[in-house]
Amino acid sequence: MTLVSKDITKAAAFLNNDELVSIPTETVYGLAANIFSETAINKIFEMKQRPLFNPLIVHTYSVEQLDKFVSYIPTKAKLLADAFWPGSLTMVLPKKSGVPDLVTAGKPTVGVRIPNHETTLELLQNLDFPLAAPSANPFGSISPTKASHVKNYFDGKLKMVLEGGSCQNGIESTIVGFENEEPVLYRLGSISIEEIESIVGSIKVKNNKEQAPDAPGMLSRHYAPETHTFLVDNVTEYVKNYPNKKVGVLLFSQKVSADNIVHTEILSKSGNLKEAAANLYATLHKLDTLDLDIIVAEKFPEYGLGKSINDRLLRATKKK
């Protein structure tokens, strides 16, 4: 049985012993290990069944700690750190030689962030090393936003889930890298492009890469339920194509009707994109347990966090 507990001391003891612990963040729950332990990092890849070419994100608790594993911070990275850390921004920066290639998929850069979650910040301050922590789910599956999601995935395989409540933001961090000193967006996430551009100006988007991705979340299929899922503009019209199927629908704010819709989930009745993002994964987990034939998701407005939600839903609908 996997222990679910708020005991930070016990979590630290497991991590010091090269074990994995799932940690809460404001985005999703992570599967954490000591970045300097090859034994522990290998356990992440094995437990998630994650390909070794997909780099991990390193979590620390202060900008001062970056000196231990980052060799250079561009000027615009400093501006973004001042604006968004602690928070849901990961930056891909040149690494120091002490960071194992296993963490960075052999790349000369490392993704780093300071999470905005009191429990995990306290844990990090009680460790002598930063933590690599991809999402605590089997590779390609729906990310976990509750301790129960992690336990359902890994019960008996994982030593501990550090209980931190439901994740406030509910989708992964936004990832920004730097090419010739200029910021490049590698993954849409909990901080919108508009918010990033308000700090550093116009930013290039390069968020799809199947081979040797620069950052996590760039593969075409990801965040996917087991139930076959579709992303469409008009849910009411689309479900007519499946008259004899049990259909579940995932909607932004307004309910729709059709005879074969057996379950409806609305992410934000008030039409709030931040609330919708926070509820997205938990709702997909719920829909995936209902023995539906298909899930039909409504496209979101293509601005702000709507872009990030559409990105996740689009990757969830890609066929294996």
Side-chain angles (χ1 to χ4, degrees):
M1 291 285 286
T2 296
L3 174 67
V4 178
S5 169
K6 295 181 179 180
D7 190 336
I8 290 172
T9 303
K10 186 162 285 189
F14 280 128
L15 290 162
N16 277 307
N17 201 34
D18 290 342
E19 296 292 352
L20 305 186
V21 172
S22 180
I23 59 171
T25 76
E26 80 284 10
T27 58
V28 300
Y29 275 75
L31 193 61
N34 174 2
I35 73 161
F36 299 118
S37 166
E38 190 169 322
T39 298
I41 296 300
N42 270 314
K43 287 179 181 178
I44 288 180
F45 285 100
E46 289 165 10
M47 190 170 292
K48 280 181 63 72
Q49 298 179 300
R50 181 186 180 96
L52 291 171
F53 64 71
N54 207 6
L56 305 177
I57 293 172
V58 174
H59 296 65
T60 189
Y61 62 88
S62 73
V63 173
E64 290 72 31
Q65 292 294 308
L66 294 186
D67 279 344
K68 295 180 179 178
F69 50 94
V70 168
S71 62
Y72 172 67
I73 304 176
T75 300
K76 289 188 176 180
K78 292 175 183 175
L79 293 174
L80 289 170
D82 288 344
F84 297 115
W85 278 353
S88 305
L89 173 70
T90 293
M91 288 194 283
V92 179
L93 302 170
K95 72 166 188 170
K96 285 191 170 174
S97 58
V99 178
D101 284 346
L102 193 58
V103 172
T104 66
K107 294 180 180 297
T109 53
V110 59
V112 296
R113 90 173 179 104
I114 301 173
N116 189 17
H117 195 290
E118 186 177 353
T119 301
T120 289
L121 288 172
E122 184 178 343
L123 171 66
L124 287 161
Q125 288 169 37
N126 280 278
L127 297 170
D128 294 329
F129 45 82
L131 294 173
S135 55
N137 57 309
F139 182 70
S141 299
I142 309 167
S143 299
T145 53
K146 298 179 180 180
S148 59
H149 296 157
V150 183
K151 188 174 173 68
N152 288 342
Y153 279 139
F154 298 124
D155 197 18
K157 299 177 184 176
L158 179 65
K159 293 291 185 184
M160 179 178 174
V161 181
L162 183 60
E163 174 65 79
S166 295
C167 299
Q168 184 179 357
N169 291 350
I171 56 175
E172 291 80 2
S173 60
T174 301
I175 302 182
V176 174
F178 296 85
E179 298 177 6
N180 300 317
E181 296 280 315
E182 289 302 312
V184 177
L185 190 132
Y186 291 145
R187 180 173 74 184
L188 294 154
S190 284
I191 298 172
S192 69
I193 296 177
E194 291 89 340
E195 289 175 282
I196 299 289
E197 291 185 332
S198 73
I199 304 298
V200 294
S202 182
I203 182 170
K204 186 188 299 182
V205 178
K206 292 171 63 175
N207 66 332
N208 290 289
K209 194 174 182 186
E210 293 295 310
Q211 303 298 321
D214 299 292
M218 298 180 77
L219 303 182
S220 59
R221 180 177 166 82
H222 211 6
Y223 319 110
E226 290 296 319
T227 310
H228 200 169
T229 302
F230 300 89
L231 179 62
V232 303
D233 291 305
N234 188 318
V235 171
T236 308
E237 285 300 312
Y238 192 82
V239 298
K240 291 177 183 176
N241 297 318
Y242 298 92
N244 301 313
K245 300 285 189 183
K246 289 186 294 180
V247 179
V249 295
L250 180 68
L251 306 169
F252 179 21
S253 60
Q254 300 292 320
K255 191 168 184 177
V256 300
S257 295
D259 291 341
N260 56 333
I261 294 175
V262 298
H263 192 88
T264 296
E265 289 288 339
I266 293 174
L267 293 182
S268 175
K269 289 181 180 177
S270 65
N272 183 303
L273 287 169
K274 189 170 178 60
E275 181 184 24
N279 290 332
L280 176 65
Y281 287 148
T283 304
L284 282 173
H285 277 282
K286 180 179 178 181
L287 286 166
D288 213 18
T289 65
L290 297 179
D291 195 31
L292 299 166
D293 292 319
I294 61 170
I295 298 168
V296 179
E298 175 182 38
K299 270 189 189 169
F300 278 66
E302 198 50 39
Y303 59 80
L305 290 180
K307 290 180 182 177
S308 300
I309 295 169
N310 284 337
D311 174 82
R312 295 306 186 273
L313 289 172
L314 185 62
R315 294 175 199 274
T317 61
K318 291 289 184 181
K319 292 183 180 179
K320 293 181 181 178

